[in-house]
Amino acid sequence: MCTEFNLKIDESTELLDTRIFDSYDTNELLLLSDTIKQSCFEFLFNSHIECCPYCGSVHIVKAGKNSKGTQRYKCNNCKRRFINSTNHLMHWSHLSKEQWEILFYSSLNNDYLSKTAKLVGISIVSAFYNRHKLMYVLNELINKKQLSKKIALDETYLTYQAKGFVNQNRRGISKDKIGIACAIDEDGNYVVHTADRGRPTSSTLIDIFKNTIRSGSIVISDSQRSYHQLMDALNIKWVKIPSGEKSKDGYTLEMVNHLHDRIKAFFRGKRNVMTHYLQGYLALFQYSELHTMMIGSKMFQDEFMKINNILSGIRNKDICPEVNLYKTLYEC
């Protein structure tokens, strides 16, 4: 039977004498390796501070510990005191780190809310609020890559949902739909963002893509009117596929159409998603696609620690139909 290792990592930890490993067999060394990794993760998770969560200053110093033994810090700029979790993902939560990891894993796996609640051991209402807190943070990480080379651009649509809104079931692309602007390059990098109700306007498309499409790229799209001003603003080569045609000079919209199919598949089974929350779900979709190989791997804890270090400050009262958590580009 393997030895059970108990390690305590703190600032006074000294270098280990590797000669002590000579008496361990392979299984014991593997267990020790996992224990060290977990202990290092715990130490970084509980002590990593980059800036003040109130003013963003990096001029911070240690300021003793609170009644629970958690390290406190003081900002020399705004003079406020805080702990490592202040205004971060877990700050306003009563869930443990282990419960958050399960919720993170389940959300990336696109589980139903009821399944996530059961796995975490919380109510469905609590799972709802905490998943939205997670998605809010994930939205800070997506759509950061710039697209280049050949880029296919088109939009897809979902049903508009808002408190008090009655769907008129109008035919075609109307105010009953919310547009999702999508662009994907030949390397598989893509940007997805909620746009306008009905067809996206030129100004909305410019807001979404002005900083994400590199100069010198080739953009392939249909002949929608709003694309004309977008292409003028981007000042790049535009391959415009005529209405009723599927291709032009060998260029097609196959890449972006496949992206549309994956988005629709992700939302299949999610009933009545409020449009105010749609950008959060798109962030979850994109993040889970980019980190598919991470699920169940040892990279998982590294990613969770990175997410927990992003400032959010979101509380349950901020997650409601009357409050839009994300930048609104569409007319309510």
Side-chain angles (χ1 to χ4, degrees), residues 135 138 190 192 259 262-264 266-267 280-290:
M135 293 191 300
L138 294 182
Y190 60 86
V192 290
L259 176 59
R262 302 202 307 270
I263 292 174
K264 293 290 181 67
F266 175 81
F267 281 98
Y281 281 101
L282 289 174
L284 179 61
F285 160 76
Q286 187 170 351
Y287 191 88
S288 60
E289 281 216 335
L290 293 173

Side-chain angles (χ1 to χ4, degrees), residues 50-60 75-78 82:
E50 292 182 346
C51 63
C52 172
Y54 297 109
C55 69
S57 172
V58 296
H59 301 293
I60 56 179
C75 175
N76 285 333
N77 182 49
C78 67
F82 54 91

Side-chain angles (χ1 to χ4, degrees), residues 253-269:
L253 295 174
E254 184 177 350
M255 291 189 302
V256 73
N257 288 335
H258 183 49
L259 176 59
H260 292 168
D261 291 340
R262 302 202 307 270
I263 292 174
K264 293 290 181 67
F266 175 81
F267 281 98
R268 195 169 295 130

Side-chain angles (χ1 to χ4, degrees), residues 229-242:
Q229 292 185 34
L230 172 64
M231 300 308 164
D232 289 341
L234 296 176
N235 193 25
I236 56 177
K237 181 179 178 180
W238 180 25
V239 177
K240 181 172 60 174
I241 298 178

Side-chain angles (χ1 to χ4, degrees), residues 315-331:
R315 305 178 67 174
N316 286 5
K317 66 180 182 180
D318 300 320
I319 304 171
C320 63
E322 289 77 21
V323 178
N324 187 9
L325 296 176
Y326 309 99
K327 181 180 179 182
T328 303
L329 296 176
Y330 58 88
E331 178 187 354

Side-chain angles (χ1 to χ4, degrees), residues 27-246:
N27 290 333
E28 288 175 327
L29 288 173
L30 290 174
L31 179 59
L32 176 61
S33 174
D34 289 340
T35 305
I36 291 174
K37 289 178 181 177
Q38 178 63 26
S39 298
C40 290
F41 173 78
E42 295 282 352
F43 177 68
L44 290 172
F45 185 88
N46 292 322
S47 64
H48 182 63
I49 290 289
E50 292 182 346
C51 63
C52 172
Y54 297 109
C55 69
S57 172
V58 296
H59 301 293
I60 56 179
V61 294
K62 291 184 177 180
K65 296 184 178 181
N66 63 14
S67 58
K68 296 182 179 180
T70 304
Q71 180 66 56
R72 290 190 305 179
Y73 300 86
K74 178 183 177 182
C75 175
N76 285 333
N77 182 49
C78 67
K79 309 303 181 184
R80 301 182 73 172
R81 296 174 185 267
F82 54 91
I83 59 175
N84 67 305
S85 63
T86 300
N87 283 350
H88 288 71
L89 179 63
M90 296 175 60
H91 182 59
W92 301 110
S93 170
H94 296 290
L95 303 187
S96 67
K97 179 178 70 66
E98 288 73 22
Q99 286 177 302
W100 268 109
E101 287 180 347
I102 296 172
L103 186 141
F104 181 38
Y105 181 94
S106 181
S107 298
L108 291 184
N109 202 41
N110 200 24
D111 291 337
Y112 289 110
L113 199 59
S114 56
K115 182 178 180 180
T116 299
K118 185 176 180 180
L119 290 172
V120 180
I122 55 178
S123 68
I124 292 179
V125 173
S126 181
F128 169 82
Y129 282 118
N130 287 301
R131 175 177 285 186
H132 277 287
K133 292 177 185 177
L134 174 64
M135 293 191 300
Y136 180 86
V137 174
L138 294 182
N139 190 58
E140 298 297 310
L141 298 174
I142 66 158
N143 292 337
K144 302 299 183 183
K145 290 186 177 180
Q146 285 196 314
L147 310 181
S148 60
K149 304 175 184 177
K150 297 177 183 177
I151 303 168
L153 192 154
D154 197 9
E155 64 280 340
T156 187
Y157 298 89
L158 295 175
T159 302
Y160 180 79
Q161 298 283 352
K163 186 176 181 180
F165 175 75
V166 179
N167 194 319
Q168 301 294 323
N169 294 317
R170 287 169 283 202
R171 298 179 62 185
I173 301 172
S174 67
K175 295 291 185 180
D176 291 345
K177 302 290 184 181
I178 181 72
I180 302 174
C182 306
I184 183 170
D185 65 20
E186 57 184 320
D187 293 328
N189 301 312
Y190 60 86
V191 170
V192 290
H193 204 291
T194 52
D196 294 298
R197 292 174 62 181
R199 293 191 182 277
T201 63
S202 298
S203 58
T204 297
L205 293 174
I206 292 172
D207 283 343
I208 295 172
F209 296 117
K210 62 183 177 183
N211 295 320
T212 57
I213 296 180
R214 290 180 179 174
S215 59
S217 302
I218 301 174
V219 174
I220 309 145
S221 75
D222 57 27
S223 55
Q224 184 175 295
R225 286 184 181 180
S226 55
Y227 290 149
H228 288 76
Q229 292 185 34
L230 172 64
M231 300 308 164
D232 289 341
L234 296 176
N235 193 25
I236 56 177
K237 181 179 178 180
W238 180 25
V239 177
K240 181 172 60 174
I241 298 178
S243 178
E245 300 290 334
K246 293 185 177 180

